[in-house]
Amino acid sequence: MVDHVIETEHLKMIYPGGLEAVKDLSIKVRRGEVFGFLGPNGAGKTTALNMMVGLLKPTKGRTLIDGEEVKPWSRTVKEKIGIVPQETILWENLTCTENLMLLANLYEVPKEEGQARTARLLEELQLADKADARAKALSGGMKRRLNLAMGLVNEPDVILLDEPSPGLDPQTRRVLWEYIADLPKKGHTLILTTHDMDEADYLSDRVAIIDNGELLVLDEPRKLKASVGEGDVLELAFDEGADLQKAAEDFTSLGYIISANVTAGRVVIRTKDAMSRLPEVFEFVKEHDSEIRDVRYRGNTLEDVFIDLTGRALRDGD
Amino acid sequence: MKVIVLAIKGIKESFRDIKNIAFLLAFPLMFLVLFRVAFGFGPEATNTYDILVLDQDDGEGPWDQTDPQWLPLYNAAMGTNFTGPEFFHAVILEGKTDTAGQYFVDEILSTAIYEDNETKMFNIKMVSSRAEGEDMVSKGDAALLVVIPANYSSAIQGVVDQAIVDEVRAHSISVNASSDQYAHTKLELTGELGNFDFSFASSMVSGQLMQYLAILEGTVRYAVGSTFPDGPATLEGGSVGLVFVSIGETDEFTLFDWQAPGMIIFALMMTAIYVTATLATEVKNKTLQRLRLTKMTSFDMMGGTTLRWLFIGTFQLIIMIVVIWALGVNFAGEFGPTFGAIFLISLVAILASISLGLIISAFVDDPEQAGNIGTAIVIPMSFLTGAFFPMDVPAAQLLPWTQASLAMKQVMLYADWEAATTHTMYALVAAVIVFIIGVIIFQRKRLRA
């Protein structure tokens, strides 16, 4: 039997003014998984997440953590949930150790245990040599790692990771990803929200996609990508002034094209063995008095899943 | 104890923010020193006013033309043989000056002193024209210009004549006033009407004039009355006199000494702005949100904030007390009890200021707003509390700073421990009420889910 750490039942949020941010969200998060939560800005993602972890009272519905219905900001929530916010929220004039010990004390972690956790987290996140440096003296990447450590110091069952790695250099990003990927092995359940498809794909065991306050799909990334269809993807950029919508429609008339649509200023076509089809694609475009400026070739991504579901790219919503 | 943890965290943050803490600690110091310089350093410098006199008195009066009707009676009784002008110069002006105006300047204004410490009230400089005097006053070289009119001597003769006639009539002897030609005149006191120095100096000049006239009338009546068998009908020197006496031990006090209690309270009120700014920073940086996610309670947060600022306020207070001592501020009581009381009253004022900071910070979202709105509230409120000068606003009596300010004055100026204790208790009760209001508002606006 699957053990669920978080269950939401028919969550609904209507803000004053009538905006229905979340319509009817029922989700179960398994213990020990990395649960990816995707959606464009304004999709209701943050509202849904805050209700899921007991930081926001829903207009309707309820959230169960470990089978227990929680009230917002209750002690249960504070004990079981850790949050790693998108912004680095640190006390800039305190040292790394002081920042972590402050939270450990406020979470009522025994002093010696708090010191041990602080030292271990700083070591694991490669900040040990900066233990006595003030937060304001850290680089952006170091601050983000300390920000992560702040969400872990109380060793919560569920960790909410909100956009953990934007703006990081590839090396720091990789360190962070590997660390995050290891957290379920230590008994943590992760809820990850991100715009970065690679990040979601790499880290998530399951992914939920939300748009306009509704859950569109929830499954493993591999299955979601497979559900989009077979074949590879070609992204074609045309010269300015080209009628992209018409081009996409023209492509669908070709027998070997599985699908074609316009996303983020490009015509995205799916076809089997796309590389060998490239000359035919170029010829087809030339016959229609157009010119291709740039071509990208890739496999299916979670972005394609979103496009397939909504007809829009995730970044269109930004 | 999470309260202590949060207080220590706050204190560390404050003392590591060098610019802020330097300003925080230096502000009262600068403030007190600046006011000390502005108000001067010694009693002579503060209490003796520079005034200008334009004496236009021509020294003439009706007695130059006609002897007063009662003069023969006076000469007979006193064995003298004065003519009107001789009586005026010998008796009224005591043979010292030629005109009543000159007498008023040389013998009244120039010799006026405070009753207790014999400090001169005025430094007098004569000017030759109204324009010259007004120019000097407008440049701040003097508190005011006294213009003695041309007919001043005539008016003084009228005062004397009327006094003698009154005394003679008091002995049932019919006598007429000597002349209806006595002038009715007015001394002009020219200056900036809203200026503190003008207010003080003008009240003292008019006081001297009123006193002189009262004494003149009384003295003349007494002298004349003494010649009658039934004795004078009035008291020597008049029935009502005027002296300037210091309350308690305040004879050595300077204007700054009077202002110092209010200054201390004002400096401590500024704590409200710093409290607001630090809490607004927690809101802006979202660290308050992070704290809310922990097991910290509202009590921990409020308690930690209060302890933090009480500690910093105490630090600030110690510096302030050292500065007060170094500046040589006078106070009525003994050193130990006085500074002990200043310390206690200040702690109450700091608690009230922290509470005000909590209230303001519930409504501001960033430190910039905190600075602007905090200043806009604290500065007018400091006036309301009478920190600078007494304000007749009954509702302001309910404010803890008003009561703290009154308590501070009782301690520093009068060493009246009973009154100080009463005001301190009122201040403490009011501070606790403001604190509870602050906690409730901050909790509802910032700490509630």
Side-chain angles (χ1 to χ4, degrees):
Chain A
M1 186 179 159
V2 179
D3 181 13
H4 293 114
V5 66
I6 290 179
E7 291 181 56
T8 69
E9 294 177 357
H10 308 292
L11 288 181
K12 185 178 217 178
M13 172 53 76
I14 303 173
Y15 283 114
L19 175 68
E20 196 172 7
V22 175
K23 288 171 182 165
D24 181 15
L25 187 68
S26 295
I27 282 180
K28 292 180 179 178
V29 179
R30 295 170 187 161
R31 191 178 304 281
E33 75 172 336
V34 180
F35 186 91
F37 212 68
L38 302 182
N41 285 347
K45 195 171 58 206
T46 304
T47 303
L49 279 170
N50 283 336
M51 289 192 293
M52 280 172 70
V53 296
L55 297 181
L56 190 64
K57 187 180 178 184
T59 310
K60 276 187 182 172
R62 61 178 191 159
T63 294
L64 307 176
I65 297 179
D66 280 334
E68 181 189 342
E69 183 175 349
V70 293
K71 289 184 178 173
W73 296 91
S74 64
R75 201 168 172 86
T76 307
V77 169
K78 291 178 177 183
E79 278 173 357
K80 297 191 173 179
I81 304 292
I83 297 202
V84 181
Q86 186 175 351
E87 307 100 320
T88 50
I89 300 179
L90 307 167
W91 286 275
E92 298 275 331
N93 270 320
L94 298 186
T95 66
C96 296
T97 301
E98 286 168 343
N99 265 288
L100 291 169
M101 280 305 293
L102 172 66
L103 288 188
N105 282 322
L106 295 179
Y107 276 116
E108 298 172 359
V109 178
K111 190 177 176 185
E112 285 182 7
E113 173 64 18
Q115 287 169 337
R117 283 187 200 177
T118 295
R120 195 190 69 235
L121 283 167
L122 291 175
E123 186 66 41
E124 288 173 354
L125 286 160
Q126 300 176 17
L127 288 169
D129 58 334
K130 297 288 180 187
D132 295 325
R134 289 190 204 172
K136 68 180 178 185
L138 301 179
S139 68
M142 290 174 183
K143 282 184 177 179
R144 197 157 282 283
R145 278 180 272 154
L146 181 58
N147 198 43
L148 174 60
M150 301 275 275
L152 301 175
V153 75
N154 59 325
E155 299 202 336
D157 292 345
V158 180
I159 301 164
L160 177 61
L161 290 157
D162 188 5
E163 304 276 356
S165 65
L168 293 181
D169 62 83
Q171 193 184 349
T172 309
R173 193 163 115 135
R174 182 57 63 178
V175 169
L176 211 60
W177 281 11
E178 284 172 5
Y179 187 79
I180 291 169
D182 251 7
L183 288 172
K185 294 174 194 162
K186 297 172 183 168
H188 301 289
T189 302
L190 304 187
I191 300 177
L192 170 73
T193 168
T194 181
H195 279 94
D196 187 333
M197 295 302 116
D198 291 340
E199 186 171 68
D201 206 350
Y202 180 84
L203 293 172
S204 305
D205 296 312
R206 291 193 303 154
V207 168
I209 296 178
I210 188 172
D211 193 29
N212 293 323
E214 285 181 293
L215 179 68
L216 300 180
V217 69
L218 168 58
D219 212 334
E220 294 171 26
R222 180 181 53 81
K223 290 181 182 171
L224 287 175
K225 285 186 284 186
S227 71
V228 176
E230 296 177 354
D232 308 317
V233 175
L234 290 174
E235 289 186 3
L236 309 175
F238 285 81
D239 282 340
E240 275 185 38
D243 186 344
L244 301 182
Q245 203 56 49
K246 184 171 183 312
E249 287 166 12
D250 291 343
F251 274 122
T252 52
S253 66
L254 295 173
Y256 57 86
I257 298 293
I258 299 168
S259 68
N261 50 42
V262 180
T263 301
R266 287 170 176 259
V267 175
V268 179
I269 59 176
R270 189 179 309 284
T271 178
K272 282 185 180 176
D273 197 11
M275 286 303 277
S276 64
R277 292 290 184 185
L278 265 179
E280 292 173 65
V281 169
F282 274 98
E283 186 63 29
F284 181 77
V285 170
K286 199 172 179 183
E287 283 170 9
H288 285 74
D289 296 329
S290 289
E291 198 147 333
I292 293 174
R293 186 164 45 83
D294 183 35
V295 178
R296 288 182 197 166
Y297 164 80
R298 59 174 173 77
N300 279 333
T301 66
L302 289 172
E303 177 95 32
D304 299 312
V305 177
F306 187 80
I307 293 165
D308 191 60
L309 290 167
T310 67
R312 294 181 289 124
L314 268 172
R315 52 186 176 268
D316 287 347
D318 287 0
Chain B
M1 271 290 271
K2 293 197 272 292
V3 171
I4 304 293
V5 167
L6 285 165
I8 291 172
K9 164 242 171 206
I11 291 165
K12 278 182 183 171
E13 282 186 294
S14 291
F15 279 88
R16 285 174 185 175
D17 188 350
I18 300 295
K19 285 180 199 161
N20 250 333
I21 199 70
F23 185 74
L24 187 78
L25 298 177
F27 175 76
L29 187 149
M30 291 187 311
F31 190 68
L32 287 167
V33 171
L34 278 174
F35 269 78
R36 187 64 163 136
V37 171
F39 287 128
F41 277 88
E44 291 80 12
T46 53
N47 290 0
T48 301
Y49 292 94
D50 292 323
I51 65 171
L52 307 173
V53 176
L54 175 60
D55 184 6
Q56 297 175 322
D57 186 10
D58 56 19
E60 294 174 4
W63 297 349
D64 291 332
Q65 309 300 322
T66 312
D67 287 346
Q69 284 188 16
W70 43 260
L71 190 57
L73 292 172
Y74 179 87
N75 279 332
M78 303 298 288
T80 56
N81 195 25
F82 288 133
T83 62
E86 285 169 349
F87 175 81
F88 182 57
H89 287 101
V91 179
I92 305 304
L93 304 182
E94 301 177 293
K96 291 177 178 173
T97 62
D98 294 331
T99 69
Q102 198 182 346
Y103 185 87
F104 182 59
V105 174
D106 292 352
E107 303 302 321
I108 306 299
L109 295 181
S110 296
T111 59
I113 55 170
Y114 293 95
E115 190 72 8
D116 291 353
N117 59 16
E118 300 193 348
T119 301
K120 279 175 68 181
M121 286 183 179
F122 309 110
N123 278 330
I124 296 169
K125 183 175 181 188
M126 304 303 292
V127 293
S128 55
S129 70
R130 183 186 294 270
E132 182 194 357
E134 288 180 356
D135 183 51
M136 289 178 71
V137 170
S138 66
K139 287 176 179 167
D141 293 338
L144 57 80
L145 166 67
V146 181
V147 179
I148 300 172
N151 55 4
Y152 179 73
S153 284
S154 174
I156 291 295
Q157 286 182 10
V159 170
V160 172
D161 190 88
Q162 188 60 52
I164 293 174
V165 167
D166 288 346
E167 182 63 23
V168 171
R169 283 176 179 165
H171 294 277
S172 304
I173 296 172
S174 177
V175 63
N176 293 326
S178 305
S179 172
D180 56 3
Q181 296 171 25
Y182 298 117
H184 292 275
T185 195
K186 289 176 179 171
L187 263 71
E188 276 179 41
L189 303 179
T190 303
E192 296 164 353
L193 298 187
N195 185 300
F196 277 133
D197 280 357
F198 175 82
S199 301
F200 288 125
S202 61
S203 68
M204 289 196 288
V205 169
S206 51
Q208 291 303 310
L209 177 63
M210 294 302 111
Q211 177 170 250
Y212 165 60
L213 293 176
I215 291 172
L216 179 63
E217 283 182 76
T219 305
V220 166
R221 283 190 66 166
Y222 187 83
V224 172
S226 299
T227 64
F228 290 95
D230 52 347
T234 189
L235 299 171
E236 186 178 15
S239 55
V240 180
L242 190 66
V243 289
F244 290 80
V245 184
S246 309
I247 298 172
E249 305 293 323
T250 59
D251 55 312
E252 290 295 323
F253 283 9
T254 67
L255 192 53
F256 177 73
D257 295 329
W258 292 100
Q259 295 291 329
M263 297 294 114
I264 294 171
I265 297 298
F266 171 68
L268 297 175
M269 284 184 79
M270 299 300 282
T271 305
I273 299 175
Y274 300 121
V275 172
T276 308
T278 50
L279 287 172
T281 304
E282 296 266 20
V283 171
K284 188 187 178 190
N285 294 346
K286 299 190 177 177
T287 42
L288 184 63
Q289 185 84 345
R290 175 147 254 168
L291 289 174
R292 286 179 63 201
L293 284 166
T294 68
K295 292 177 181 173
M296 175 199 82
T297 62
S298 302
F299 170 79
D300 297 327
M301 178 71 194
M302 298 294 96
T305 302
T306 306
L307 276 184
R308 166 189 187 172
W309 286 102
L310 277 177
F311 180 85
I312 295 171
T314 305
F315 205 78
Q316 195 182 25
L317 193 54
I318 291 168
I319 291 178
M320 208 150 55
I321 286 175
V322 170
V323 171
I324 290 169
W325 174 77
L327 289 174
V329 176
N330 296 296
F331 44 86
E334 290 180 14
F335 185 89
T338 300
F339 280 89
I342 290 174
F343 194 81
L344 287 176
I345 296 165
S346 297
L347 284 182
V348 175
I350 292 169
L351 176 66
S353 302
I354 293 167
S355 312
L356 179 62
L358 289 177
I359 295 173
I360 302 171
S361 59
F363 300 96
V364 299
D365 296 323
D366 58 58
E368 289 76 22
Q369 266 185 24
N372 294 335
I373 295 174
T375 306
I377 290 172
V378 168
I379 301 293
M381 197 172 270
S382 64
F383 278 90
L384 272 182
T385 60
F388 298 99
F389 42 77
M391 293 280 283
D392 189 18
V393 182
Q397 296 299 313
L398 299 172
L399 295 171
W401 304 278
T402 310
Q403 294 299 325
S405 188
L406 291 171
M408 198 71 91
K409 279 177 184 160
Q410 292 299 331
V411 167
M412 294 177 74
L413 303 177
Y414 310 117
D416 185 340
W417 306 109
E418 196 178 330
T421 305
T422 306
H423 286 302
T424 306
M425 291 313 292
Y426 278 131
L428 182 61
V429 170
V432 169
I433 291 171
V434 178
F435 181 70
I436 291 169
I437 293 170
V439 168
I440 291 171
I441 293 178
F442 190 83
Q443 201 172 330
R444 289 192 170 198
K445 298 281 287 183
R446 297 291 183 208
L447 297 177
R448 185 169 277 190

Coordinates of all heavy atoms in Angstrom, one line a residue, chain A residues 55 73 75 78-79 83 85 87 89-91 93-94 98 102 106-108 134 147 150, chain B residues 2 5-6 9 12-13 16-17 282 285-287 289-296 449:
Chain A
L55 N 0.0 26.4 4.7 CA 0.3 27.8 4.9 C -0.8 28.8 4.5 O -0.6 30.0 4.7 CB 1.6 28.2 4.2 CG 2.9 27.4 4.6 CD1 4.1 27.8 3.9 CD2 3.1 27.6 6.1
W73 N -0.8 27.2 9.5 CA 0.2 27.6 10.5 C 0.2 26.9 11.8 O 0.6 27.4 12.8 CB 0.1 29.1 10.7 CG 0.4 29.9 9.5 CD1 -0.5 30.3 8.5 CD2 1.7 30.3 9.0 NE1 0.1 31.0 7.5 CE2 1.5 31.0 7.8 CE3 3.0 30.2 9.5 CZ2 2.5 31.5 7.0 CZ3 4.0 30.8 8.7 CH2 3.8 31.4 7.5
R75 N 1.0 23.9 14.7 CA 2.2 23.4 15.1 C 2.6 22.2 14.3 O 3.8 21.9 14.0 CB 2.1 23.0 16.6 CG 3.4 22.9 17.3 CD 3.2 22.8 18.8 NE 4.5 22.5 19.4 CZ 5.4 23.4 19.8 NH1 5.1 24.6 19.6 NH2 6.5 23.0 20.4
K78 N 4.2 23.4 11.2 CA 5.6 23.9 11.5 C 6.6 22.8 11.8 O 7.8 22.9 11.5 CB 5.5 24.9 12.7 CG 4.8 26.2 12.3 CD 4.7 27.1 13.5 CE 4.0 28.4 13.1 NZ 4.0 29.4 14.2
E79 N 6.1 21.7 12.4 CA 7.0 20.6 12.7 C 7.3 19.8 11.5 O 8.4 19.3 11.3 CB 6.3 19.7 13.7 CG 6.5 20.2 15.1 CD 5.7 19.4 16.2 OE1 5.0 18.5 15.8 OE2 5.8 19.7 17.4
I83 N 10.5 24.9 4.4 CA 10.3 25.7 3.1 C 11.6 26.2 2.7 O 12.4 26.9 3.4 CB 9.3 26.8 3.3 CG1 7.9 26.1 3.6 CG2 9.2 27.7 2.1 CD1 6.7 26.9 3.4
P85 N 12.4 28.9 0.1 CA 11.8 29.8 -0.8 C 12.6 30.2 -2.0 O 13.8 29.9 -2.0 CB 11.5 31.0 0.1 CG 12.5 31.0 1.1 CD 12.8 29.5 1.3
E87 N 13.3 33.2 -3.1 CA 14.2 34.3 -2.8 C 15.1 33.7 -1.7 O 14.7 32.9 -0.9 CB 13.5 35.5 -2.2 CG 12.4 36.1 -3.1 CD 11.0 35.7 -2.6 OE1 10.9 34.5 -2.2 OE2 10.1 36.5 -2.7
I89 N 16.2 34.0 1.7 CA 15.8 34.8 2.9 C 16.7 34.5 4.0 O 16.7 33.4 4.6 CB 14.3 34.4 3.2 CG1 13.4 34.7 2.0 CG2 13.9 35.1 4.5 CD1 12.0 34.3 2.3
L90 N 17.6 35.4 4.2 CA 18.7 35.2 5.3 C 18.8 36.5 6.1 O 18.4 37.5 5.7 CB 20.0 35.0 4.6 CG 20.1 33.9 3.5 CD1 21.4 34.0 2.7 CD2 20.0 32.5 4.2
W91 N 19.3 36.3 7.3 CA 19.7 37.5 8.1 C 21.1 37.9 7.7 O 22.1 37.2 8.1 CB 19.5 37.2 9.6 CG 18.1 37.1 10.0 CD1 17.3 38.2 10.3 CD2 17.3 36.0 10.0 NE1 16.0 37.8 10.6 CE2 16.0 36.4 10.4 CE3 17.4 34.6 9.8 CZ2 14.9 35.5 10.6 CZ3 16.4 33.8 9.9 CH2 15.1 34.2 10.3
N93 N 23.2 40.1 8.4 CA 24.3 40.4 9.4 C 24.6 39.3 10.3 O 25.4 39.5 11.3 CB 23.9 41.7 10.1 CG 24.4 43.0 9.4 OD1 25.5 43.0 8.9 ND2 23.6 44.0 9.3
L94 N 24.0 38.2 10.1 CA 24.4 37.0 11.0 C 25.3 36.1 10.1 O 25.2 36.1 8.9 CB 23.2 36.2 11.4 CG 22.1 37.0 12.3 CD1 21.0 36.0 12.8 CD2 22.8 37.6 13.5
E98 N 25.2 31.2 12.6 CA 24.2 31.9 13.4 C 22.8 31.8 12.8 O 21.8 31.7 13.4 CB 24.6 33.4 13.6 CG 25.7 33.5 14.6 CD 26.3 34.9 14.6 OE1 26.1 35.7 13.7 OE2 27.0 35.3 15.6
L102 N 19.9 30.0 14.7 CA 18.8 30.7 15.1 C 17.5 29.9 14.8 O 16.6 29.8 15.6 CB 18.7 32.0 14.3 CG 17.4 32.9 14.4 CD1 17.2 33.4 15.9 CD2 17.4 34.0 13.5
L106 N 14.7 28.2 17.3 CA 13.3 28.5 17.2 C 12.5 27.3 16.8 O 11.3 27.3 17.1 CB 13.1 29.6 16.2 CG 13.8 31.0 16.6 CD1 13.5 32.0 15.5 CD2 13.2 31.5 17.9
Y107 N 13.1 26.3 16.2 CA 12.4 25.0 16.0 C 12.5 24.1 17.2 O 12.1 22.9 17.1 CB 12.9 24.3 14.8 CG 12.3 24.8 13.5 CD1 13.1 25.4 12.5 CD2 11.0 24.6 13.2 CE1 12.6 25.9 11.3 CE2 10.4 25.0 12.0 CZ 11.2 25.7 11.0 OH 10.7 26.1 9.9
E108 N 13.1 24.6 18.3 CA 13.3 23.8 19.5 C 14.1 22.6 19.3 O 13.9 21.5 20.0 CB 11.9 23.4 20.1 CG 11.0 24.7 20.5 CD 9.6 24.3 20.9 OE1 9.2 23.2 20.8 OE2 8.9 25.3 21.2
R134 N 29.6 36.3 7.5 CA 28.2 36.8 7.5 C 27.6 36.5 6.1 O 28.2 36.5 5.1 CB 28.3 38.3 7.7 CG 28.6 38.6 9.1 CD 28.4 40.1 9.4 NE 29.3 40.5 10.5 CZ 29.5 41.7 10.9 NH1 28.8 42.7 10.3 NH2 30.3 42.0 11.9
N147 N 20.4 29.1 1.9 CA 18.9 29.2 1.9 C 18.3 27.8 2.0 O 17.3 27.5 2.7 CB 18.5 29.9 0.6 CG 17.1 30.4 0.7 OD1 16.7 31.0 1.7 ND2 16.4 30.2 -0.4
M150 N 18.7 26.3 5.4 CA 17.8 26.9 6.4 C 16.5 26.1 6.4 O 15.8 26.0 7.4 CB 17.5 28.4 6.0 CG 18.8 29.2 6.0 SD 19.2 29.9 7.6 CE 18.2 31.3 7.7
Chain B
K2 N 13.1 31.2 23.6 CA 13.1 31.8 22.3 C 13.1 33.3 22.3 O 13.7 34.0 21.4 CB 11.9 31.3 21.5 CG 12.0 29.8 21.2 CD 11.1 29.3 20.1 CE 9.7 29.0 20.6 NZ 9.6 27.8 21.4
V5 N 16.7 34.2 22.6 CA 17.4 33.9 21.3 C 17.1 35.0 20.3 O 18.0 35.5 19.6 CB 16.8 32.6 20.7 CG1 17.2 32.4 19.3 CG2 17.4 31.4 21.5
L6 N 15.8 35.5 20.2 CA 15.5 36.5 19.3 C 16.0 37.9 19.7 O 16.5 38.7 18.8 CB 13.9 36.6 19.2 CG 13.3 35.5 18.4 CD1 11.8 35.4 18.7 CD2 13.5 35.7 16.9
K9 N 19.7 37.8 18.8 CA 19.8 37.9 17.3 C 19.7 39.4 16.9 O 20.5 39.9 16.1 CB 18.8 37.0 16.7 CG 18.5 37.3 15.2 CD 17.0 37.7 15.1 CE 16.7 38.2 13.7 NZ 15.6 39.2 13.7
K12 N 22.7 41.5 18.0 CA 23.8 41.2 17.1 C 23.7 42.0 15.8 O 24.6 42.6 15.3 CB 23.9 39.7 16.8 CG 24.6 38.9 17.9 CD 24.7 37.5 17.4 CE 25.4 36.6 18.5 NZ 25.2 35.2 18.2
E13 N 22.5 41.9 15.2 CA 22.2 42.6 14.0 C 22.4 44.1 14.1 O 23.0 44.7 13.3 CB 20.8 42.3 13.5 CG 20.6 40.9 12.9 CD 19.2 40.8 12.3 OE1 18.2 40.8 13.1 OE2 19.0 40.7 11.1
R16 N 26.1 45.0 14.5 CA 26.9 44.8 13.4 C 26.6 45.7 12.2 O 27.3 45.8 11.2 CB 26.7 43.3 12.9 CG 27.4 42.3 13.8 CD 27.1 40.9 13.4 NE 27.7 40.0 14.4 CZ 27.5 38.7 14.4 NH1 26.8 38.2 13.4 NH2 28.0 37.9 15.3
D17 N 25.5 46.4 12.3 CA 25.2 47.4 11.3 C 25.8 48.7 11.8 O 25.1 49.6 12.4 CB 23.6 47.5 11.2 CG 23.2 48.4 10.0 OD1 24.1 49.1 9.5 OD2 22.1 48.4 9.7
E282 N 12.5 43.3 8.4 CA 12.1 41.9 8.5 C 10.9 41.6 7.6 O 10.9 40.5 7.0 CB 11.7 41.5 10.0 CG 12.8 41.7 11.0 CD 13.6 40.4 11.3 OE1 13.5 39.5 10.5 OE2 14.2 40.3 12.4
N285 N 12.4 41.9 3.8 CA 13.3 40.8 3.4 C 12.6 39.4 3.6 O 13.3 38.4 3.4 CB 14.5 40.9 4.3 CG 15.4 42.1 4.0 OD1 15.1 42.8 3.0 ND2 16.3 42.4 4.9
K286 N 11.4 39.4 4.1 CA 10.6 38.2 4.3 C 11.2 37.3 5.4 O 10.8 36.1 5.5 CB 10.5 37.4 3.0 CG 9.7 38.2 1.9 CD 9.4 37.4 0.7 CE 8.6 38.2 -0.3 NZ 8.3 37.5 -1.5
T287 N 12.1 37.8 6.2 CA 12.6 37.1 7.3 C 11.6 36.9 8.4 O 11.6 35.9 9.1 CB 13.9 37.7 7.9 OG1 13.7 39.1 8.0 CG2 15.1 37.5 7.0
Q289 N 8.5 36.3 7.7 CA 7.8 35.1 7.2 C 8.5 33.8 7.6 O 7.9 32.8 8.0 CB 7.7 35.2 5.7 CG 6.9 34.1 5.0 CD 5.4 34.5 5.0 OE1 5.0 35.4 5.7 NE2 4.6 33.8 4.2
R290 N 9.8 33.9 7.5 CA 10.6 32.7 7.8 C 10.5 32.4 9.3 O 10.4 31.2 9.7 CB 12.1 33.0 7.5 CG 13.1 31.9 7.9 CD 14.2 31.8 6.9 NE 14.0 30.5 6.1 CZ 14.7 30.2 5.0 NH1 15.6 31.0 4.5 NH2 14.5 29.1 4.4
L291 N 10.5 33.4 10.1 CA 10.4 33.2 11.6 C 9.0 32.6 11.9 O 8.9 31.8 12.8 CB 10.5 34.6 12.3 CG 11.9 35.2 12.4 CD1 11.9 36.6 13.0 CD2 12.9 34.3 13.2
R292 N 8.0 33.1 11.2 CA 6.6 32.6 11.4 C 6.5 31.1 11.2 O 5.7 30.4 11.7 CB 5.6 33.3 10.5 CG 5.3 34.7 11.0 CD 4.4 35.4 10.1 NE 3.1 34.7 10.1 CZ 2.2 34.8 9.1 NH1 2.4 35.5 8.1 NH2 1.0 34.2 9.2
L293 N 7.4 30.6 10.3 CA 7.3 29.2 10.0 C 7.9 28.3 11.1 O 7.7 27.1 11.1 CB 8.2 28.9 8.7 CG 7.5 29.3 7.4 CD1 8.5 29.3 6.2 CD2 6.3 28.3 7.1
T294 N 8.6 28.9 12.0 CA 9.2 28.2 13.1 C 8.2 28.1 14.2 O 7.1 28.5 14.1 CB 10.5 28.9 13.6 OG1 10.1 30.1 14.3 CG2 11.5 29.2 12.5
K295 N 8.6 27.5 15.3 CA 7.7 27.4 16.5 C 7.7 28.6 17.3 O 7.2 28.6 18.5 CB 8.1 26.2 17.3 CG 7.9 24.9 16.5 CD 8.4 23.7 17.4 CE 8.2 22.4 16.6 NZ 8.8 21.2 17.3
M296 N 8.3 29.7 16.8 CA 8.2 31.0 17.5 C 6.8 31.4 17.7 O 6.0 31.3 16.8 CB 9.0 32.0 16.7 CG 8.9 33.4 17.2 SD 9.3 34.6 15.9 CE 7.8 34.8 15.1
A449 N -2.1 34.1 10.6 CA -2.1 33.3 9.3 C -3.1 33.9 8.4 O -4.1 34.5 8.8 CB -2.5 31.9 9.7

